Structure formats: structure tokens, C-alpha cells
Amino acid sequence: MPETKDEERSSRRTFMALTAAIGGLAACESGTEAPVAGGPRHLGSTISPYSERSKYETTTRFMPATKTPEQASSRTPLQELQGIITPSGLHFERHHAGIPDIDPVNHELLVHGLVDRPTIFTMDDLKRLPSVSVVRFVECSGNGGSEWTAPGSTTAQLAHGLASCSEWTGVPLRVVLEELGVQPEGRWIYAEGADACLMARSVPIEKAMDDALLAYAQNGDALRPAQGYPLRLLLPGYEGNTNVKWLHVIKVTDQPMMTRDETSKYTDLLPDGKARQFTFDLDAKSLITSPSGGQKIADLGFVEIRGLAWSGRGLIERVEVSVDGGETWADAELEGPLHPKAFTRFRLPWHWDGSTAVLLSRATDETGYLQPTVDQLIEARGKNSNYHNNSQKSWTIAADGSVSNA
Ligand code: CO
């Protein structure tokens, strides 16, 4: 029963719209009314073997113009997406030597070093082994690199779009290593990609035996070429660069191999001149995606504050939201099912009264770690390194409803 005049009017409108639609159907059946040419009731297009999104949907990755195509990155439009899965075609990219063209029939994985039975696997061999599917995020450790200095990037995509979340399918690396027999001196693995720069990283054996995955599928489909087709290493919660794409070699070693990408790059220089190395885990982060920079609140009244949170150390336990620049905080609702080391969607209903407001979010993960402010981060680590910025991101809402990073 409608309780107010407004609701009564609204339900009457709905009822009238429904009857009009039913009337239209009847007319169509009896053939007395011709469909409008080109409209929804015109004869539709044919089916196709592989579908594209609607031509009215234009969301894309952001690609900076400053890098060569081979050393490119692209950023996921986090503020345009729903739920927790990033569509494969919008997953962020970071390449150092372009995207290789690999025929899976010819692709092999060599596993050797400190193992009893060195073995070469074809893709068919790998797909016969026991498999799992898990929802996990991948994030470049350079994500948030613009946020060391206020006010940071102007949009959610520019600030934190080097992160995406997919359902990945593959063989647990542990299954392969146990089958081949790791020798007692085997403390690390060396993983190498088949791309032109031979991307390579060293990973502790504990991680390899924990949740490392030899992944061949993403969101129910084969990996996209840009995501390592036909095989990548997935190291949930570890910085993106270690998730070696186009994987073709794993060598079990007794120490890290000190590759280019773990010495000259992907180390974090501290204020005292020393550097942190092998900083693998990505700390808890959250980001309000709506309303966020570049958007505009259409009208006074109800606004659902929406965002994403993730932690490389496990489950997101709590996300708090502030609308007064961090003076007071309210608990957002976390949308289940919750996956560890995965995007977690949060929501908080809000009433916007037309005054200026500063929105912030902060996440706590299952280890009890609380996402820091940028000042706390700088106090701990200085400003010499671009990597691992997981600080709280603020958005300012102006009186006209426009949202910016001001
Ligand atoms: Co690192």
C-alpha cells in the first residue's frame, strides 16, 4: 500500500506504463501496429559467435601517451565498474617489452634446478593436472605512485587503476613441485617469462608451496595475451611484477637470483639511503569509486557511497568511510562473498545536503593492519620510492555536486 501521495502517484504511473506495454504487445500480436523502424521493436540484428558490448558503452582503459607502446601501461576504469570482477578486456597492463604472440601448441614450461625430476610440461600436460579457480586481485606495486604528494591524481582510474581483480584458473604450483620433488636446499624459485625482456623474479619457496598458481584461464576464458597467454604465474597478494606472464621457466634455487627487476627496479629506497628489497606483500588499501574525482552528484538527497578495498595479506575485515575529512568515521557494509586477497566491494548510504564535503575511506585487513594516511606513510618510509603507496585517498565535493581531488 502506498503510504504517501507521492508513492501513490508513482505507483499509479508504473501501473499505467505497464498497461501501455501490455497494450502494445497485444497490438503487435494482432499486427495492427507497425514497429518503429530502427527502434527496439524493429527486427533485431543477427547473432554472432563472439559478442561485443553495446555500442552505447564506451568505458576504456587509460593509456598514458608518454611511454612507448612496448613499455606501456594501461589503467582500469575502477570508477566505471560494478561488483568485484574486472572484465578481462579492462584488466590493467604493464609490459616491459610488448605483448608476445605465443602459439600454445608450442609453449612449454621447464621446471628444473633443485628438484629430483626436472620436467618439461606442455600446456596439455598442465591442463590435465588438478586445478582450482580463485578470485584474486593483481596490483602493480607502482599503483598509487601519484599519491605521495597532495592532492594526487584527479580520478580513481589515474590514482589506483593499476589494480584489477579476476577469477583465475590453473594448477597450484605446489602440486607440480611436490610431484617433481624439491630438494632440501631448495629455498627459492626463479620464474622467467618468454617475452623479449625475459622478465624474471625470485620468489621464496614458502610462497611457491602456499597459494602460487600456474594460471591458464581468467574469468572463465583463456588468459588474454596481455595477461600472459597461455600461462602466467599468479602470486596472490604479491606485487604485480612478480606474477610473471608468458611463464616458460621455473628453477628451484638455494638463494634469490638477483635479477634486474629485483635490484635496479622494484626495490624501495629509504631516507637513510638503505633500500628495502623483496617487498612482496601489498598492504591493505581502499578507494571510494563513487562519488569520485571527475564525477558529479546529480541532485540533493540519497547518495550511495561505493568503493573497493583489498589486501595482499588476506581478507578485508572492515572499511570505514568519513564525509568530514576524517573527523568522524562510519562502518561501510562489505558485500559478500568475501575472498582473501581479492577486491571487496563496500557501500554506505548517505544523504547529501548540498554542503561541501571531504570523503575518505580506510580499510582494515584480517591481520589488524589499518590503511595509513599519506603523512603516516611518509613518516615510515620517506619519499624516495615510488612503490607501495596504499594511503587513504580523499575526494572533495563542491556545493554544485562536482567531485575533485582538491
Ligand atoms: Co615491492
Side-chain angles (χ1 to χ4, degrees), residues 190-191 198-202 241 256-265 277-278:
Y190 162 85
L198 293 176
M199 175 61 63
R201 291 293 304 258
S202 307
N241 178 261
M257 296 286 270
M258 299 298 175
T259 71
R260 175 193 57 217
D261 283 280
E262 58 204 20
T263 50
S264 73
K265 293 175 181 167
Q277 192 182 21
F278 303 120

Side-chain angles (χ1 to χ4, degrees), residues 326-370:
E327 292 289 314
T328 60
W329 297 87
D331 277 299
E333 183 197 338
L334 305 184
E335 188 173 79
L338 303 179
H339 304 269
K341 305 175 186 178
F343 279 2
T344 299
R345 174 69 61 174
F346 66 86
R347 308 171 188 279
L348 184 73
W350 182 45
H351 181 95
W352 184 55
D353 63 7
S355 51
T356 59
V358 176
L359 273 51
L360 274 170
S361 65
R362 64 182 187 192
T364 304
D365 70 17
E366 65 175 311
T367 71
Y369 173 91
L370 173 66

Side-chain angles (χ1 to χ4, degrees), residues 141 239 266-268 276 278-280 387-388:
S141 57
E239 59 187 5
Y266 298 101
T267 59
D268 316 329
R276 302 196 309 167
F278 303 120
T279 49
F280 295 124
Y387 298 117
H388 295 282

Side-chain angles (χ1 to χ4, degrees), residues 210-228:
D210 181 15
D211 57 357
L213 193 66
L214 301 171
Y216 46 74
Q218 174 186 14
N219 298 332
D221 207 353
L223 293 179
R224 291 291 169 99
Q227 292 309 317

Side-chain angles (χ1 to χ4, degrees), residues 40-112:
R41 290 175 57 216
H42 190 76
L43 184 63
S45 63
T46 56
I47 61 170
S48 64
Y50 197 88
S51 73
E52 301 293 331
R53 63 181 171 181
S54 163
K55 67 183 179 187
Y56 303 108
E57 296 298 320
T58 55
T59 295
T60 53
R61 292 181 289 214
F62 172 83
M63 299 193 292
T66 50
K67 293 217 167 69
T68 66
E70 295 77 20
Q71 288 191 306
S73 64
S74 64
R75 290 167 187 261
T76 296
L78 296 172
Q79 75 285 358
E80 305 285 344
L81 303 181
Q82 313 294 336
I84 59 170
I85 299 295
T86 308
S88 300
L90 293 174
H91 194 290
F92 87 90
E93 297 162 89
R94 176 75 177 100
H95 314 302
H96 296 261
I99 303 163
D101 177 2
I102 297 177
D103 183 341
V105 171
N106 302 324
H107 190 74
E108 293 175 334
L109 173 67
L110 165 66
V111 184
H112 68 141

